Amino acid sequence: EVQLVESGGGLVQAGGSLRLSCAASGFSFDGNAIGWFRQAPGKEREGVSCINSSDGRAYYADSVKGRFTISSDNAKNTVYLQMNSLKPEDTAVYYCAATRVRMYGGTWKMHSLYDYWGQGTQVTVSS
C-alpha cells in the first residue's frame, strides 16, 4: 500500500518560513515525480511545485518562484518544500502527490496525472 504523509505545516507570521516534508512508503521516489499542491478555502487546488527525482528538475508556480524550493532525498523517500517569505495568500492545505511518469513544464500541474495523494497539512500565514 502506498502512503504519502505530509508534515511541517503550522501557523507562521508573514515573512516567516516553513519546511514541509512528504514521506512515502510503499513507493520509491527514484525515477518518479513528486508534486506539491495547495487548496485554500473556496478555491481550486493549484500546483505549487514539482520535482523529477531522477535528475532534480523542478518546476514552480509563478506565485512562489524565488520563495519556495523543492528538493528530494531519494534515499529517505522524502521530498521537501522549503517555503520562505511566506505571505497570507500562501495560506492553504498543502498536499503532496506522486506519479510514476516524468513531469514537464506543460504537465506537472495536471492533477489527473498523479497516482497517489497525501492527506494534506495546513499552512496558515498571519498578516
Side-chain angles (χ1 to χ4, degrees), residues 5-73:
V5 179
E6 303 97 335
S7 61
L11 173 64
V12 63
Q13 288 188 332
S17 299
L18 286 173
R19 189 176 80 155
L20 304 184
S21 299
C22 173
S25 60
F27 180 89
S28 173
F29 283 0
D30 192 15
N32 299 309
I34 307 298
W36 282 98
F37 291 76
R38 66 186 181 187
Q39 188 166 20
K43 295 187 177 181
E44 292 188 355
R45 191 171 296 190
E46 63 173 349
V48 175
S49 183
C50 175
I51 187 168
N52 287 303
S53 58
S54 59
D55 59 6
R57 176 67 186 268
Y59 301 95
Y60 298 93
D62 289 343
S63 59
V64 307
K65 278 181 183 176
R67 300 189 298 123
F68 290 12
T69 303
I70 192 171
S71 62
S72 175
D73 186 334

